[in-house]
Amino acid sequence: MQVANPNILKIKPYVPGKPIDEVRRELGLKSVIKLASNENPYPPSPKVLEAMNKAAREINRYPDGGCFLLRRALAKKFGVDDDQLIFGNGSDEIIVLAVKAFAAKGDDVIIAKPSFLIYEIAATLSGARVHQVPLKDFHYDLDAMKAKISVRTKIIFIGNPDNPAGTYITQRQAEDFLRSVPKTTLVFFDEAYFEYVQAKDYPDTLSLMKKYPNLMTTRTFSKMYGLAGLRVGYGIASREIISILNVLREPFNVNSLAQAAAVAVLGDEAYYRKIARDVNEQRQYLYRSLESMDIAYELSFTNFILVHVGGDSSQVAQGLLKKGVIIRDMAAWGLKGYIRVSIGSASENKRFIKTLAECL
C-alpha cells in the first residue's frame, strides 16, 4: 500500500457548501437557493459573457501562462509593477503556494481561530506548527498574535475582512502590527472581500508594502465579481516574494476563459458598483429582519453575516436545508449556535428570513 504524507492524517478536509443540484436530487425539491458559499447571486455582466464567448473559440490552445492582459490591467489599476503580481486558480492556490515556499517542518504559522480553513490545512500539510489565536469579540486579537511570534514564525495569516466573522482590522491596527513583526516573517493579508468594505479606516495594504516588504496581499474575482465558477485570484507583493512563488506555480494555472472574463470585469466597473449597492441594501434588510425576530448577529463588512441562532445550529441548518435553503452551519468551525448566511438577492433573502422563522 502506498504510504501517504503523515501530515495528511492530521487534516480535517475542507467541506464546501452543497451544490444546488445535489440538494434537489437528494431531497426531491424543485426550488433550492444557496446562501452558503459567499457567492455573488447575480449573473456576470453582458461584457463578461461576450468576452468569454470570444475566448471559447480558442480553447484548443493553452492559456497565456503569464496572464499578460490581466496582469497589465491590474498593474495599471493598482499602480504596481507587472512583476509584483501573481495569479492563481482562485486566491486559495496562492495561499497554498506561499506556505509551500516559506513554511516547512519545524516552522511556525500563526492564524486566527476560527478563520478561513485553508490557512490551517496548507500549513499542517507542510509540517509547520500552527498556532491558532482565538478571536476576541469576533475580532483579531493582534496583541495575542504578537505574543506568539518567535524566530521560527514564517507566516502570519490575516483575513481582512475575516471569514467567518465578517470583521476587519483598521489601518492603524495594521501599521502597529506590522511594526512589531520581524522582516523575516511574511504577513499575508487575505482580502477576498475587500470590495465590499466601505469603512474609511480600512487599511491600504498596497501602500504599506513600500515600507514593509514582508507584506503580501491576495484578492479574488470569485466574490464581488461573481467569477467563482472560473477560479481566478491574484496576489500582490514585492518582486522577490513573487519571483519565489512563480517557481512553484503551475505554468497554465489560470484558464483562458477565466483570464478573458477577469479582464472584461475590470472594464465594466459600473455594473459591479451597482451590485455593491444592492448587497449593502440587502445586508441592511437582513439586519432589520433578524432584529425584528430578536436574533443576534455580527456586523459584517462582507457579503455574508454570522448569525447567532442559539441552541443547536446543526438542527437549524438541517431544517433550512429540508426547505430548500442552503446555509453554512458553523458548529464545525467551533461556533456552536451560529450559522453563516451569504447575502443573496432580494427574493432569496426574503425566503431565508421566512424559512428561518419557520425553523425556529
Side-chain angles (χ1 to χ4, degrees):
M1 181 178 176
Q2 194 73 26
V3 179
N5 179 339
N7 293 318
I8 292 176
L9 304 178
K10 302 175 184 177
I11 293 172
K12 188 176 182 180
Y14 180 83
V15 180
K18 281 196 171 190
I20 289 174
D21 287 342
E22 181 180 335
V23 174
R24 282 180 181 149
R25 288 192 301 268
E26 286 184 357
L27 301 180
L29 298 171
K30 291 183 178 180
S31 175
V32 176
I33 62 171
K34 184 182 178 187
L35 302 174
S37 300
N38 307 338
E39 298 155 331
N40 181 337
Y42 304 102
S45 77
K47 288 184 180 179
V48 171
L49 296 176
E50 182 183 349
M52 290 173 61
N53 183 54
K54 183 178 179 181
R57 300 168 195 167
E58 298 181 6
I59 58 171
N60 56 309
R61 306 294 183 186
Y62 284 108
D64 175 3
C67 299
F68 174 78
L69 293 177
L70 181 55
R71 180 183 302 276
R72 185 174 63 181
L74 281 175
K76 182 179 179 181
K77 177 181 175 68
F78 294 123
V80 298
D81 294 329
D82 289 7
D83 53 5
Q84 287 186 262
L85 286 156
I86 187 170
F87 296 90
N89 188 267
S91 55
D92 296 26
E93 183 184 18
I94 303 171
I95 293 169
V96 173
L97 289 176
V99 173
K100 284 182 178 179
F102 299 111
K105 185 176 181 180
D107 293 331
D108 290 353
V109 174
I110 300 174
I111 65 175
K113 182 181 181 181
S115 193
F116 186 40
L117 298 177
I118 298 300
Y119 308 152
E120 180 183 2
I121 290 172
T124 301
L125 188 58
S126 76
R129 287 184 292 265
V130 182
H131 296 277
Q132 296 181 311
V133 178
L135 297 178
K136 191 174 182 179
D137 297 326
F138 290 103
H139 288 76
Y140 270 62
D141 189 344
L142 296 176
D143 288 335
M145 287 184 127
K146 290 177 190 177
K148 292 288 185 182
I149 297 174
S150 73
V151 293
R152 295 188 301 270
T153 305
K154 295 304 170 90
I155 307 177
I156 302 171
F157 283 104
I158 296 179
N160 202 39
D162 190 56
N163 175 18
T167 56
Y168 74 100
I169 71 170
T170 67
Q171 175 81 16
R172 176 175 290 183
Q173 289 174 321
E175 292 188 61
D176 289 345
F177 185 74
L178 286 164
R179 276 195 293 269
S180 68
V181 178
K183 295 297 187 287
T184 53
T185 298
L186 177 66
V187 183
F188 192 113
F189 273 75
D190 178 358
E191 296 183 349
Y193 301 94
F194 96 105
E195 289 96 346
Y196 291 105
V197 184
Q198 298 179 347
K200 292 181 179 179
D201 58 352
Y202 184 74
D204 181 355
T205 51
L206 303 191
S207 293
L208 288 171
M209 282 177 196
K210 299 169 184 175
K211 187 175 181 180
Y212 301 99
N214 58 323
L215 171 61
M216 180 172 189
T217 296
T218 52
R219 294 171 181 170
T220 182
F221 287 88
S222 295
K223 304 303 181 185
M224 171 67 80
Y225 294 123
L227 302 185
L230 290 176
R231 310 300 298 126
V232 53
Y234 60 96
I236 307 173
S238 69
R239 296 180 184 87
E240 291 75 19
I241 290 174
I242 296 299
S243 65
I244 292 170
L245 298 184
N246 271 321
V247 172
L248 299 173
R249 180 181 61 83
E250 295 290 337
F252 303 114
N253 60 330
V254 181
N255 70 73
S256 301
L257 297 184
Q259 292 185 42
V263 171
V265 158
L266 297 174
D268 199 7
E269 291 282 2
Y271 179 85
Y272 295 96
R273 281 197 296 271
K274 182 181 184 305
I275 287 178
R277 290 193 297 270
D278 289 346
V279 169
N280 185 56
E281 289 176 5
Q282 290 305 308
R283 186 190 296 113
Q284 298 305 318
Y285 163 76
L286 288 172
Y287 287 166
R288 292 193 302 271
S289 300
L290 292 168
E291 287 166 6
S292 70
M293 299 163 67
D294 201 25
I295 297 175
Y297 60 86
E298 294 302 316
L299 286 174
S300 175
F301 295 85
T302 66
N303 67 333
F304 62 82
I305 303 174
L306 188 64
V307 181
H308 188 209
V309 293
D312 189 343
S313 58
S314 299
Q315 186 175 5
V316 174
Q318 282 300 311
L320 287 164
L321 186 66
K322 290 177 181 178
K323 294 176 179 290
V325 179
I326 312 170
I327 53 86
R328 186 62 72 102
D329 174 23
M330 300 312 296
W333 299 54
L335 294 174
K336 294 182 179 180
Y338 286 86
I339 62 172
R340 192 193 67 197
V341 56
S342 306
I343 299 171
S345 64
S347 60
E348 288 173 336
N349 295 329
K350 288 177 182 176
R351 178 172 171 181
F352 161 70
I353 289 297
K354 179 177 181 295
T355 309
L356 179 63
E358 294 170 355
C359 290
L360 294 177

